[in-house]
Amino acid sequence: MTDNSSPQLLFVGGAGIFGLTVDVAEQAVHQARKRGMTVHVTNHAATLATTPTITELVDATSVVDFEERGVTAAWAREQVAAGNRFDVVFGLRELALETVAETAAAVGAPGNPPEAVRRIRTKDEARAALAAAGFLQPRFRVCEDAGAAHEFLAQSTGPWVVKPRDMWGSEGVTRIESPEELTAALDFLPDWCDGTFIVEEFVEGPEFSAEGVFLDGVPHLLALTSKELLPPPNFFEIEYVIPAILPEHSAKEIEREVVAGLTALGLTHGQFHVELWLTERGVVLGESHVRNGGGWIHRMLAHAIPDLEWFGLVYDDALGNPIDKAALRPTRGAAIRFLTPQPGRLVAVEGWEEVLAHPSVLRAELTVGPGDIINPHRSVSNRIGLIAVGADTPEEAQALARTLEASVRFTVDPAAG
């Protein structure tokens, strides 16, 4: 039986196997430790075995399948019946978010309604809910085959986006300009799609995301992130800047729409990461997530808002700890560039050691070396490197990240790819 004298955190899904997810999970555990919390992690057996830095940090681990609906909630109820207690139920991984909500409800901990989390993870249901609540949304259709997709294309205005119903990280997402491009877009959908997919009208306008946390049940925006994407047909993000460089009135408009949208979707707890566009007609909300943003946004945000503990805010809110909301605004800037050298066989890399030695670098990764194949940059899974920096202003951070990216020289044999 666990010692119940300290606040108890159930960390559902722990870390994934990749460096980013491990770093996020480590930060979440460290911030729980600072609050005197006892941490119990559940995960798949193989992942627990391959993430020792997490298992060594926590008080207990259990093998529980967080991807199977209802399994973790049933396990948690058994733990409570045995005399244990969970004050906070938390998770970071996309596939764990519904389970987090179900489990919190099962043990009486603060959390989002499970049906609300299920709704935002199903892209068409989220779009329909926002449209019904009066928010600007593109026309869309859930399709089961190419025939249904062609029918929608004939009845709507292009360009269009073809994407899975419940994936993330731009996986399987393609922009098409004409019906003739549909076949290639369908071929790009992930193999494990259940046979259904979404076709929707493309939203014209610069893309942003909103990073924040729910405090007392209300969305509190921490910062906006501006994004640069590779040209279509795919949606590979190559730059983030925090806070976004845009006029104050535009930032306020986005903040109002994000807060209203999250409220309309019935969300009340945890972190949030909302994707959106600023168009001529106004703000168009995209996908909403009750987790931190990916792509090292958690590290960038912690530089932009000194002393920020994004995960700790979730615990503080759940435990009723005091929070100084006035301090939760950016006073510095951060930026990241995701490296996109020409596809082919990598022959040589120059300038990387100088990047690693730069004092303003928050994080730098290069996952390829001479002899490796660089695949076409079609989704976040193809990222081969990144450079994240911090500076006094977002403008300075953006300029430095671009300068450092340009200083790295890739020699690539495109024919060998």
Side-chain angles (χ1 to χ4, degrees):
M1 185 180 296
T2 302
D3 176 11
N4 283 336
S5 61
S6 61
Q8 306 292 307
L9 170 65
L10 177 60
F11 191 175
V12 178
I17 61 174
F18 300 107
L20 172 59
T21 63
V22 172
D23 188 80
V24 171
E26 288 177 352
Q27 292 294 306
V29 173
H30 283 306
Q31 291 171 27
R33 287 293 193 206
K34 287 184 64 175
R35 288 154 177 80
M37 304 182 78
T38 298
V39 184
H40 192 142
V41 168
T42 62
N43 207 334
H44 299 135
T47 312
L48 287 171
T50 55
T51 53
T53 59
I54 302 300
T55 57
E56 292 168 3
L57 283 175
V58 303
D59 300 279
T61 61
S62 295
V63 176
V64 187
D65 186 357
F66 63 86
E67 295 184 37
E68 186 69 27
R69 182 171 296 174
V71 171
T72 303
W75 172 87
R77 281 192 293 264
E78 293 175 356
Q79 293 291 307
V80 171
N84 293 317
R85 186 184 83 249
F86 298 118
D87 302 293
V88 182
V89 180
F90 182 69
L92 298 162
R93 302 171 67 182
E94 184 68 28
L95 292 178
L97 299 179
E98 289 185 50
T99 293
V100 168
E102 292 172 350
T103 306
V107 302
N112 289 299
E115 63 274 14
V117 178
R118 192 170 302 121
R119 183 185 304 119
I120 65 169
R121 290 209 64 250
T122 308
K123 298 177 183 181
D124 53 287
E125 292 185 13
R127 283 247 186 269
L130 287 171
F135 292 87
L136 287 175
Q137 291 287 282
R139 294 177 60 194
F140 71 91
R141 180 168 175 176
V142 179
C143 302
E144 296 184 354
D145 53 37
H150 276 292
E151 183 178 298
F152 176 78
L153 298 184
Q155 299 171 352
S156 57
T157 303
W160 302 269
V161 175
V162 181
K163 61 186 181 181
R165 293 186 75 188
D166 63 352
M167 194 54 186
W168 61 95
S170 302
E171 293 292 337
V173 181
T174 307
R175 167 175 160 162
I176 62 174
E177 304 290 333
S178 67
E180 288 72 28
E181 298 174 4
L182 179 64
T183 299
L186 297 182
D187 289 341
F188 188 52
L189 291 169
D191 293 338
W192 44 259
C193 274
D194 63 359
T196 60
F197 56 94
I198 295 173
V199 183
E200 66 183 28
E201 293 177 336
F202 179 75
V203 179
E204 297 281 359
E207 184 173 339
F208 302 87
S209 64
E211 326 303 337
V213 63
F214 290 90
L215 301 176
D216 297 323
V218 177
H220 182 93
L221 186 72
L222 296 172
L224 297 176
T225 303
S226 60
K227 301 183 178 184
E228 180 185 345
L229 284 67
L230 278 181
N234 305 118
F235 293 80
F236 188 99
E237 296 164 344
I238 59 173
E239 180 184 85
Y240 300 153
V241 179
I242 300 177
I245 304 169
L246 75 170
E248 183 177 357
H249 68 87
S250 297
K252 290 295 185 183
E253 179 186 2
I254 291 173
E255 181 172 2
R256 287 193 298 269
E257 204 74 359
V258 166
V259 169
L262 290 170
T263 302
L265 290 169
L267 301 166
T268 55
H269 288 81
Q271 299 167 301
F272 64 80
H273 169 73
V274 180
E275 298 168 5
L276 58 101
W277 297 266
L278 188 58
T279 75
E280 293 181 353
R281 297 176 58 202
V283 176
V284 176
L285 299 177
E287 295 173 25
S288 298
H289 306 271
V290 282
R291 57 164 171 79
N292 62 285
W296 298 95
I297 285 176
H298 71 292
R299 288 285 190 176
M300 297 167 63
L301 196 59
H303 175 86
I305 305 176
D307 302 319
L308 173 71
E309 295 188 346
W310 196 2
F311 313 104
L313 288 174
V314 177
Y315 312 146
D316 288 336
D317 180 64
L319 297 172
N321 296 337
I323 298 172
D324 181 6
K325 297 180 183 179
L328 303 179
R329 286 291 181 182
T331 58
R332 300 187 297 194
I336 191 169
R337 294 290 296 183
F338 297 99
L339 308 181
T340 55
Q342 180 183 14
R345 185 179 299 279
L346 181 60
V347 177
V349 182
E350 300 175 89
W352 187 247
E353 294 303 320
E354 289 76 8
V355 168
L356 295 176
H358 197 285
S360 296
V361 169
L362 302 174
R363 183 82 184 189
E365 289 184 355
L366 188 61
T367 62
V368 294
D372 291 337
I373 296 296
I374 299 174
N375 293 310
H377 307 294
R378 300 196 67 184
S379 74
V380 296
S381 62
N382 294 134
R383 286 176 175 166
I384 60 94
L386 60 91
I387 302 170
V389 302
D392 290 335
T393 68
E395 291 86 357
E396 291 172 346
Q398 182 185 55
L400 176 58
R402 292 179 176 183
T403 297
L404 290 177
E405 178 191 30
S407 72
V408 182
R409 299 171 297 282
F410 293 91
T411 302
V412 176
D413 178 2

